[in-house]
């Protein structure tokens, strides 16, 4: 609490985390215990310690997962092709792999437990193509 500030950064961050968690419909009990434990640890850490930033990043990650939010899967291959072609020029092999992934999911009825890994150097479009697919 420096220079007349009422709250320090840690308190503000913990409030932000609690507010974010309150938005989710249901958080599993074991996950909630881990989050509370990490917030308690975070409140006792010094700002300059390496553990402070590690714990902060972990809490950022934990509070940004959409706990209890479920969406229906969309296996419309024609729509996916249209979106990929509209948003991304070239990248034909990547787009074909994504469409195959969607087609297999459509045949099986789910892509639960499957991960599609996009690898490559910075700036080649991994994030933007993933956002298009989502």
């Amino acid at each position: 609490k420096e220079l007349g500030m009422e709250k320090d950064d840690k308190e503000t961050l913990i409030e932000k985390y609690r507010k974010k968690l309150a938005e989710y419909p249901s958080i599993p009990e074991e996950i909630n215990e881990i989050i509370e434990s990490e917030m308690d640890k975070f409140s006792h850490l010094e700002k300059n310690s390496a553990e402070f930033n590690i714990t902060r990043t972990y809490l950022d990650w934990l509070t940004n997962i959409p706990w209890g939010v479920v969406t229906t899967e969309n296996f419309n291959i024609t729509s996916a092709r249209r979106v990929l072609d509209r948003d991304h020029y070239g990248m034909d092999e990547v787009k074909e792999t994504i469409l195959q992934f969607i087609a297999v999911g459509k045949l099986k009825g789910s892509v639960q437990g499957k991960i599609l890994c996009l690898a490559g150097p910075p700036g080649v479009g991994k994030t933007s193509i993933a956002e298009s697919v989502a």
Side-chain angles (χ1 to χ4, degrees):
K1 297 181 183 178
E2 301 175 1
L3 302 174
M5 293 174 59
E6 289 187 28
K7 298 179 185 175
D8 64 5
D9 290 339
K10 288 189 286 189
E11 291 174 7
T12 305
L13 283 170
I14 290 173
E15 280 182 26
K16 180 185 93 168
Y17 295 142
R18 290 199 189 286
K19 188 176 181 181
K20 183 83 172 166
L21 290 170
E23 296 173 5
Y24 300 124
S26 63
I27 300 173
E29 186 59 37
E30 59 273 7
I31 301 300
N32 205 23
E33 289 174 13
I34 291 169
I35 293 171
E36 288 299 325
S37 169
E38 290 296 320
M39 282 200 280
D40 184 52
K41 178 173 87 172
F42 183 71
S43 68
H44 293 96
L45 291 172
E46 288 297 320
K47 264 176 140 174
N48 298 331
S49 72
E51 188 71 15
F52 179 88
N53 286 323
I54 292 169
T55 305
R56 179 180 176 179
T57 302
Y58 186 46
L59 283 168
D60 283 339
W61 180 78
L62 283 172
T63 56
N64 282 313
I65 293 176
W67 299 106
V69 177
V70 180
T71 59
T72 57
E73 294 179 3
N74 180 359
F75 296 113
N76 187 334
I77 297 169
T78 307
S79 173
R81 181 179 297 279
R82 193 175 326 110
V83 168
L84 289 171
D85 287 339
R86 179 193 69 210
D87 294 349
H88 303 280
Y89 177 76
M91 302 177 79
D92 294 328
E93 289 180 23
V94 175
K95 291 191 279 190
E96 202 56 42
T97 301
I98 290 169
L99 292 172
Q100 288 173 4
F101 182 82
I102 294 170
V104 170
K106 184 176 184 176
L107 288 172
K108 292 178 115 184
S110 174
V111 291
Q112 183 175 2
K114 304 295 181 214
I115 297 173
L116 192 58
C117 180
L118 304 174
V124 296
K126 298 179 299 290
T127 302
S128 66
I129 203 162
E131 287 173 346
S132 292
V133 172

